[in-house]
Amino acid sequence: MSDTLETAVFGGGCFWCIEAVFQQLRGVHEAIPGYAGGDRDQPTYKEVCTGRTGHAEVIRVRFDPDVVGYRELLEVLFSIHDPTQRNRQGNDVGPQYRSCIMPQDEEQERIARDFISAQDAAGVWSAPVVTTVEPGATFWPAEAEHHDFYLRNTMQPYCQVMITPKLEHVRGRYPQRLQD
């Protein structure tokens, strides 16, 4: 186990969906929903939902790189959302739902760009990947009611329809990467 945790910031639609998945992964110490990539300090959910602040709904992941690598986190992210949809995921439409990677340093940026290029070159998707790579974006934590949303609302219809299938997918595809 590493003495130093690293940080990753990802967007892939609604932050409730990706938070729930990343909370399940071995080596992830926290997954916090928030906003990044916009032009306003300390944005609110209501402001971001307008699609006019430039922010995306994202999660900030604190992870142990000796347990799970940054590239492995990208693999999981790309398996739970459609990186070919511009400014939307399913019924969630707007730039706040964009597929994005917000690297924290030059190495993460290199890995992210190489990962996207490899996805396109291999023809993994039926359309080009439109995931943006946005270095230097400031992360703003979301309001408390958005933290641990799935854990607190498992039986809510949105959670059952949108989040539970993503969790089942990850459990089936990456059982070795799940926390005990």
Side-chain angles (χ1 to χ4, degrees):
M1 183 155 130
S2 175
D3 291 334
T4 306
L5 297 180
E6 292 185 16
T7 301
V9 178
F10 304 127
C14 174
F15 51 28
W16 297 335
C17 294
I18 57 177
E19 175 199 41
V21 168
F22 280 86
Q23 286 176 329
Q24 304 293 311
L25 299 180
R26 180 178 291 131
V28 170
H29 288 253
E30 69 176 7
I32 303 295
Y35 319 106
D39 57 10
R40 181 173 301 168
D41 289 353
Q42 301 179 359
T44 66
Y45 183 73
K46 185 176 180 181
E47 292 169 337
V48 172
C49 282
T50 69
R52 294 190 303 258
T53 67
H55 293 89
E57 287 191 14
V58 297
I59 58 162
R60 180 182 65 199
V61 178
R62 300 279 294 144
F63 66 99
D64 182 339
D66 289 342
V67 178
V68 61
Y70 187 73
R71 188 176 192 294
E72 292 173 289
L73 296 176
L74 290 174
E75 288 173 9
V76 172
L77 174 69
F78 274 56
S79 81
I80 61 169
H81 84 291
D82 183 347
T84 69
Q85 291 188 339
R86 187 175 308 283
N87 293 335
R88 75 173 301 148
Q89 285 298 303
N91 293 332
D92 292 329
V93 179
Q96 68 272 30
Y97 300 113
R98 69 186 175 272
S99 174
C100 57
I101 301 167
M102 300 183 171
Q104 303 300 294
D105 57 34
E106 290 179 5
E107 179 67 5
Q108 284 186 1
E109 182 176 359
R110 183 192 62 73
I111 293 168
R113 291 188 189 284
D114 288 351
F115 184 86
I116 291 169
S117 293
Q119 294 271 302
D120 279 335
V124 173
W125 303 94
S126 60
V129 171
V130 296
T131 303
T132 59
V133 178
E134 304 174 35
T138 300
F139 174 84
W140 302 98
E143 299 82 349
E145 64 264 23
H146 299 292
H147 295 238
D148 299 318
F149 189 84
Y150 180 79
L151 296 174
R152 294 182 294 102
N153 298 282
T154 305
M155 299 313 293
Q156 184 189 71
Y158 180 88
C159 292
Q160 288 294 301
V161 171
M162 300 304 295
I163 302 174
T164 298
K166 291 178 189 297
L167 291 170
E168 290 171 354
H169 165 79
V170 169
R171 288 178 188 135
R173 185 166 178 182
Y174 303 109
Q176 72 285 4
R177 293 187 182 164
L178 299 177
Q179 294 179 19
D180 297 324

